[in-house]
Amino acid sequence: MKPTPKQALRETGVRVTRQREALLKVLTEASDHPDAAELHRRARTIDDSLSLATVYRTLSVLEREGVVLRLALENGGARYEVADTPHHDHIIDLDTGEITEFRSEKIEDLQRQIAAELGYEIVHHRMELYCRKRT
Amino acid sequence: MKPTPKQALRETGVRVTRQREALLKVLTEASDHPDAAELHRRARTIDDSLSLATVYRTLSVLEREGVVLRLALENGGARYEVADTPHHDHIIDLDTGEITEFRSEKIEDLQRQIAAELGYEIVHHRMELYCRKRT
DNA sequence: GTGTATGCAAATCATTTGCACGGTC
DNA sequence: GACCGTGCAAATGATTTGCATACAC
């Protein structure tokens, strides 16, 4: 069974510190897709000495270790989520900013097929649908 | 038939200045997807007084008017292209940075269908395949 | 002539980094 | 105890903005 984020950290030989545990806890509990500043705000309630610089440093470690995913939206802001669910893409509600996850095996197949026709192999991809609720 | 970018500008009541013409020319002739700094460099060979600030200001006007498209890649850098071809998405070669355009009606249909199932209407979307040449 | 566009330099904003200190292994 | 991780503040890099001047209409 899948290791907890904390276990995942230990296993990669990265040191488990107070601030990293705080950040992991906040990340794990977040169902929305917070940005670095928001994560900092939340994690501070657990460890008030945590600095924003460390949040960034930790997020990049966690991303490198495959524990979190960075979601770079079109407006330039980066959002984060724990990598504990299978691959999926996102729908962004233009009015509320709410982010919904979805997954389509069919689309993934088509993407691979298109890339292959052009002589490419997909390493990773991003797909975001910027939407508005239907009235 | 489709108006030239310059005509498009006049029609929207935006002033056609020396620097805007220079930028439009460079944009129209570019087959790659240059960023703001690169466009500045190129347009300067036509009008050497052109400032980078104006490049940004003009690009945002052109984007608002639907004349150019801003492509926000995952590394944060923005690239631009003239909106003179039908909608398409991009393949980014991770090794060379080269950008290839592609279009899939099937994928677009599936996207609309998925959004609809969740009660959404797609306003616009982005899809980028980060790839590597097959060996 | 009027009002918009421009250049310049200073201001933002998100993110990164240098450095000396503190804490994990 | 060795070495990695942290806080702080300063550095960065891309983009934006205030202001006085220049130019399109």
Side-chain angles (χ1 to χ4, degrees):
Chain A
M1 108 179 182
K2 198 149 194 166
T4 64
K6 188 169 167 182
Q7 290 172 330
L9 264 197
R10 277 196 213 289
E11 280 164 19
T12 54
V14 186
R15 290 188 182 173
V16 179
T17 64
R18 194 167 22 103
Q19 22 285 84
R20 284 178 180 175
E21 289 197 86
L23 199 53
L24 270 177
K25 182 163 195 298
V26 166
L27 269 166
T28 309
E29 289 172 355
S31 61
D32 50 351
H33 295 69
D35 61 12
E38 177 59 25
L39 287 168
H40 181 217
R41 234 169 276 126
R42 296 185 193 174
R44 273 199 153 189
T45 63
I46 302 176
D47 178 350
D48 69 333
S49 74
L50 179 61
S51 77
L52 184 54
T54 293
V55 171
Y56 278 110
R57 274 188 285 232
T58 303
L59 284 173
S60 88
V61 170
L62 294 179
E63 197 195 3
R64 188 166 306 117
E65 302 301 342
V67 177
V68 309
L69 286 178
R70 185 200 312 264
L71 181 58
L73 299 190
E74 69 173 356
N75 55 37
R79 310 298 212 77
Y80 298 85
E81 63 184 1
V82 202
D84 56 357
T85 52
H87 167 76
H88 55 257
D89 292 293
H90 301 89
I91 285 182
I92 290 95
D93 186 314
L94 286 167
D95 297 314
T96 68
E98 193 190 345
I99 297 180
T100 308
E101 305 179 348
F102 73 90
R103 170 170 181 66
S104 166
E105 204 54 68
K106 274 191 205 165
I107 292 184
E108 312 264 310
D109 285 343
L110 287 167
Q111 289 174 334
R112 271 189 292 272
Q113 188 183 314
I114 290 168
E117 278 166 18
L118 294 165
Y120 283 112
E121 192 159 24
I122 299 180
V123 176
H124 66 279
H125 72 102
R126 24 183 327 203
M127 170 164 55
E128 287 142 27
L129 311 182
Y130 292 85
C131 301
R132 195 149 273 156
K133 279 279 185 205
R134 263 195 312 188
T135 49
Chain B
M1 105 181 183
K2 198 150 193 164
T4 65
K6 187 170 165 181
Q7 291 172 328
L9 264 197
R10 277 196 213 290
E11 280 163 20
T12 55
V14 186
R15 290 188 181 173
V16 179
T17 64
R18 197 165 21 102
Q19 22 285 84
R20 284 179 180 174
E21 289 197 85
L23 199 52
L24 269 177
K25 183 164 194 299
V26 166
L27 270 167
T28 310
E29 289 172 357
S31 60
D32 49 351
H33 294 68
D35 62 12
E38 178 59 25
L39 287 168
H40 182 217
R41 234 170 276 126
R42 295 184 193 174
R44 272 197 156 193
T45 64
I46 302 176
D47 178 349
D48 69 331
S49 74
L50 179 60
S51 76
L52 184 54
T54 294
V55 171
Y56 278 110
R57 275 187 285 231
T58 302
L59 285 173
S60 91
V61 170
L62 294 178
E63 197 195 4
R64 188 167 304 117
E65 302 301 342
V67 178
V68 308
L69 287 177
R70 185 199 313 263
L71 181 57
L73 299 190
E74 69 173 356
N75 55 36
R79 309 298 211 77
Y80 298 85
E81 62 184 0
V82 202
D84 58 357
T85 52
H87 167 75
H88 54 258
D89 292 292
H90 301 90
I91 285 182
I92 290 94
D93 186 314
L94 286 167
D95 297 313
T96 68
E98 193 191 343
I99 297 181
T100 307
E101 306 180 348
F102 72 90
R103 170 169 182 67
S104 166
E105 204 54 67
K106 273 191 205 163
I107 292 184
E108 312 265 310
D109 285 342
L110 287 167
Q111 289 174 333
R112 271 189 292 272
Q113 188 184 315
I114 290 168
E117 277 165 18
L118 294 165
Y120 283 113
E121 192 158 25
I122 299 181
V123 176
H124 67 278
H125 71 104
R126 24 183 328 206
M127 170 163 56
E128 288 142 27
L129 311 183
Y130 293 85
C131 301
R132 195 150 273 154
K133 280 278 184 206
R134 263 193 313 186
T135 48

